[in-house]
């Protein structure tokens, strides 16, 4: 880079400027991005020491609107004539100006120059502490008299003196001097080099406390907001790069948020998006700025109160547009995906992002473009999983994007194959294999969650359930993954299968593969710690046992016996799931005898007694099982057993009486909650409970019917 002289300096006073590599970009040295991962850096290296040459006074004065050239005739008009003014008026004006100039010069000589002399003296003796103190005095003096402006005519002298001190190494001092330079609103190469200077200091986190002194953070933000992107793109890279490093400090990040850093960066991002769409600037230049900008926002997304600011300035929409324009730039995409991964943990951000028309299109585009970039794919899938977790409109929007399921399944298949290959590698690379498996499995966990979430929608789930590839991939996970070592992936897979098995539609891929699927699920039940997955597996069995062939197969495997043992587990959720499956088993007359043989009737009566009053849904399920079980009843005592029949009858009478069904605490509940409970009691319990009680009372007799014997 060519040398630049400071105002009024000779070439002998100039300092050789920092050589900048071709792209002129900051290098990552401070830490690992957001504290978790370090992305591959595209930034060029910056020399350890940044020295700034000064600039010619005449050029800087002209750029800053300085003094009128002395030889110029004032008041010229047109091409030939001159404007007449009274000689008295001219003399008065000239005298006034001379007086003003003299006052300014006297102030400089009497107040400013002595401070500059002291600074020079301390600079030569390398007394940084005293130099910092005097620099602060100078700043306060200039600020008090509103002289920190491009139009101050002594500005060039002050800058020249400051420039000569920039060869010192003390970070606090360099920031103090940079503060003076930035406050004077320098431009051109001086702006570029002071931004490099601040960037140099910000690279080392040990210097963070120095940024909390004074108003250097305010000046950085003012500099960012005042820059012209096209004219000062390189300086902007270093300035925003400094903010990126500083936002890695939680205390500084909190201050920057209150100083509207998010809003400033959002405005800059909007300008970049506009320039990109208009193709008026180099995409490389804009991309280089975006790398630093999105990294800074990535850090700010963690700060308190940042979420409201992000939503208020519509930053999520702007980031989505940037991802659309720079979809091929992996570094920008990674930074934005990190931001979205953080903010989509909150429902309001999920709703805002889902409402943007481009969002799902962009995310699918990123999955296709960066299929092999695990760090991007895992985050995009995580974002999609968050967005579709609680929002049915988001599920529909994602699914209705062209080829959306194909893209999601392409990710699923690619990473499942990679995971399988990694699992088969030789043991001599155990450490590497474990790391590879962890990364691929993380993607599988996230992509299965996306499929499970979108399948909650009736419209989407019914269609996904007919996709053979999807079901095959899910079964494949169950076949070679185990609950002990891959708990999250296995449980997500079972939950996804449960959602898909709910839809009893023609051409259901789940129904077509139900026996292989059951075999895979049985391995989970037989596992040593099968209780971790039994609830989800039983939910699937509850859906599949709508088919007699499945009931017969599970009966052969003694799954119904297992379900009956769960009735006295004491776990209400487990009991509820077991009851849901047993209802289907009791449809088959040949399987009802097992209920009495395993003493399950007694267990069901106990469940009704212990849990019924507090859970009318469960009470209704128990009654439904006993109703199906007693379909061929001829005697209450013979069917249920005398003791169980008596207790069951008493419980039903008690529960069906509204006054006795609800205790005194019920009256203390909120009116709306009371109404909800009463509705459940009437619809889920009373309807079947009344029929069951009537059947018990109708067939309650001490006489046993005689079996008909054929005549001989």
């Amino acid at each position: 880079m060519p040398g630049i002289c400071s105002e009024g300096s000779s070439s002998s006073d100039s300092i050789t400027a920092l050589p900048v590599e071709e792209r002129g970009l900051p290098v990552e040295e401070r830490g690992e991005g957001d504290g978790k991962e370090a992305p591959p850096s595209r930034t060029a290296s910056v020399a350890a020491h940044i020295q700034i040459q000064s600039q010619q006074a005449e050029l800087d004065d002209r750029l800053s609107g300085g003094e009128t050239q002395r030889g110029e005739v004032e008041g010229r008009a047109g091409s030939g004539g001159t404007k007449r003014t009274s000689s008295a008026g001219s003399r008065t004006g000239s005298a006034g100006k001379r007086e003003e100039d003299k006052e300014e010069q006297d102030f400089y000589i009497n107040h400013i120059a002595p401070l500059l002399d002291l600074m020079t003296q301390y600079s030569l003796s390398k007394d940084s502490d005293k130099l910092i103190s005097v620099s602060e005095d100078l700043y306060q003096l200039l600020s008090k008299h509103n002289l920190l402006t491009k139009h101050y005519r002594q500005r060039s002298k002050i800058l020249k003196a400051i420039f000569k001190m920039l060869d010192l190494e003390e970070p606090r001092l360099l920031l103090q001097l940079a503060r003076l330079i930035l406050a004077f609103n320098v431009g051109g190469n001086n702006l570029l080099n002071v931004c490099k200077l601040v960037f140099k200091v910000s690279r080392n986190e040990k210097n963070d406390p120095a940024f909390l002194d004074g108003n250097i953070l305010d000046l950085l933000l003012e500099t960012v907001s005042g820059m012209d992107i096209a004219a000062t793109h390189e300086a902007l890279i270093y300035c925003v790069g400094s903010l990126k490093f500083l936002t890695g400090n939680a205390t500084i990040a909190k201050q920057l948020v209150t100083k509207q850093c998010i809003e400033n960066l959002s405005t800059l991002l909007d300008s970049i998006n506009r320039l990109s769409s208009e193709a008026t600037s180099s995409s490389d230049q804009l991309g280089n700025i975006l790398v630093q900008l999105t990294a800074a926002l990535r850090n700010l997304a963690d700060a308190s109160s940042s979420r409201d600011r992000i939503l208020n300035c519509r930053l999520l929409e702007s980031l989505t547009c940037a991802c659309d324009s720079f979809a091929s730039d992996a570094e920008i995409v990674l930074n934005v995906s990190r931001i979205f991964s953080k903010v989509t943990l909150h429902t309001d951000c999920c709703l805002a992002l889902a409402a943007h028309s481009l969002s799902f299109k962009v995310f699918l585009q990123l999955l296709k473009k960066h299929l092999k970039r695990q760090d991007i794919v895992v985050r995009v899938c995580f974002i999609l999983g968050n967005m579709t977790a609680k929002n049915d409109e988001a599920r529909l929007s994602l699914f209705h994007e062209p080829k959306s399921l194909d893209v999601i399944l392409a990710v699923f298949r690619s990473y499942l194959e990679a995971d399988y290959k990694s699992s088969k590698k030789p043991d001599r690379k155990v450490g590497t294999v474990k790391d590879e498996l962890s990364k691929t499995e993380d993607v599988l966990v996230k992509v299965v969650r996306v499929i499970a979430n979108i399948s909650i929608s009736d419209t989407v789930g019914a269609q996904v359930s007919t996709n053979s590839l999807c079901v095959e991939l899910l079964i494949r996970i169950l076949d070679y993954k185990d609950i002990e070592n891959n708990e999250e992936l296995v449980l997500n897979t079972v939950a996804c299968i449960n959602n898909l098995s709910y839809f009893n539609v023609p051409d259901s891929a789940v129904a077509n593969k139900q026996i292989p699927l059951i075999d895979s699920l049985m391995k989970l039940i037989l596992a040593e710690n099968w209780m971790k997955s039994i609830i989800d597996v039983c939910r699937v069995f509850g859906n599949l046992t709508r088919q007699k062939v499945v009931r017969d197969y599970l009966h052969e495997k003694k799954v119904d016996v297992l379900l009956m043992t769960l009735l006295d587990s004491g776990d209400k959720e487990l009991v509820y799931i077991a009851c849901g499956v047993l209802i289907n088993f009791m449809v088959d007359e040949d399987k009802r005898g097992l209920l009495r043989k395993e003493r399950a009737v007694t267990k069901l009566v106990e469940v009704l007694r212990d849990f019924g009053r507090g859970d009318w849904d469960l009470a209704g399920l128990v009654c439904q099982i006993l109703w199906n079980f007693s379909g061929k009843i001829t005697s209450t005592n013979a069917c249920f057993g005398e003791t169980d029949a008596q207790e069951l009858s008493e419980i039903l009478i008690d529960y069906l009486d509204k006054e006795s069904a609800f205790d005194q605490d019920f009256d203390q509940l909120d009116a709306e909650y009371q109404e909800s409970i009463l509705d459940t009691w009437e619809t889920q319990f009373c309807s079947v409970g009344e029929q069951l009680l009537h059947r018990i009372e109708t067939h309650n007799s001490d006489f046993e019917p005689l079996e008909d014997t054929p005549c001989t």
Side-chain angles (χ1 to χ4, degrees), residues 558-626:
K558 300 188 182 302
V559 171
D560 46 356
V561 176
L562 172 63
L563 294 170
M564 294 173 194
T565 64
L566 297 177
L567 293 176
D568 55 7
S569 67
D571 185 321
K572 189 167 72 170
E573 184 178 9
L574 199 55
V575 170
Y576 185 93
I577 296 298
C579 287
V581 186
L582 286 173
I583 287 175
N584 293 342
F585 274 105
M586 292 302 100
V587 171
D588 301 330
E589 187 176 351
D590 61 334
K591 300 177 181 64
R592 295 172 185 167
L594 196 61
L595 200 69
R596 188 184 299 107
K597 180 181 178 182
E598 298 293 327
R599 295 188 64 254
V601 172
T602 301
K603 294 178 181 180
L604 287 168
V605 173
E606 291 173 351
V607 168
L608 188 62
R609 182 193 63 213
D610 296 340
F611 297 122
R613 198 186 298 274
D615 189 336
W616 297 115
D617 278 315
L618 178 57
L621 289 181
V622 171
C623 291
Q624 186 65 56
I625 294 172
L626 296 175

Side-chain angles (χ1 to χ4, degrees), residues 142-169:
L142 293 169
S143 177
K144 178 180 178 181
H145 293 276
N146 297 317
L147 300 178
L148 287 170
T149 168
K150 292 184 73 170
H151 304 292
Y152 179 44
R153 282 173 291 207
Q154 308 301 327
R155 170 177 177 268
S156 60
K157 296 177 183 178
I158 300 171
L159 287 173
K160 177 183 176 181
I162 294 172
F163 290 151
K164 291 180 179 180
M165 303 173 194
L166 294 176
D167 59 342
L168 299 176
E169 293 296 321

Side-chain angles (χ1 to χ4, degrees), residues 299-337:
N299 294 336
L300 290 171
D302 285 329
S304 59
S305 78
S306 64
R307 198 167 84 250
D308 289 340
R309 293 175 180 272
I310 286 172
L311 290 170
N312 290 337
C313 66
R314 301 181 64 83
L315 178 60
L316 300 182
E317 292 89 332
S318 299
L319 288 169
T320 303
C321 292
C323 262
D324 188 34
S325 300
F326 295 85
S328 298
D329 194 313
E331 211 170 343
I332 294 172
V333 168
L334 180 58
N335 282 341
V336 175
S337 67

Side-chain angles (χ1 to χ4, degrees), residues 37-57:
E37 300 178 41
S41 177
R42 74 209 236 156
T43 56
S45 63
V46 177
H49 304 294
I50 296 185
Q51 298 174 319
I52 303 179
Q53 284 191 320
S54 46
Q55 193 170 16
Q56 293 291 345

Side-chain angles (χ1 to χ4, degrees), residues 492-545:
N492 275 11
T493 301
V494 176
C496 186
I497 291 171
N498 173 59
N499 290 351
L500 296 177
S501 64
Y502 171 81
F503 300 98
N504 192 17
V505 295
D507 301 323
S508 168
V510 177
N512 291 339
K513 299 179 184 297
Q514 56 191 8
I515 299 304
L517 176 57
I518 290 171
D519 288 337
S520 299
L521 292 170
M522 285 297 298
K523 291 193 305 182
L524 296 178
I525 293 181
L526 299 175
E528 187 174 343
N529 290 322
W530 58 274
M531 291 298 290
K532 293 179 180 179
S533 57
I534 189 65
I535 290 178
D536 287 328
V537 170
C538 285
R539 286 195 179 105
V540 179
F541 287 165
N543 292 330
L544 296 179
T545 50

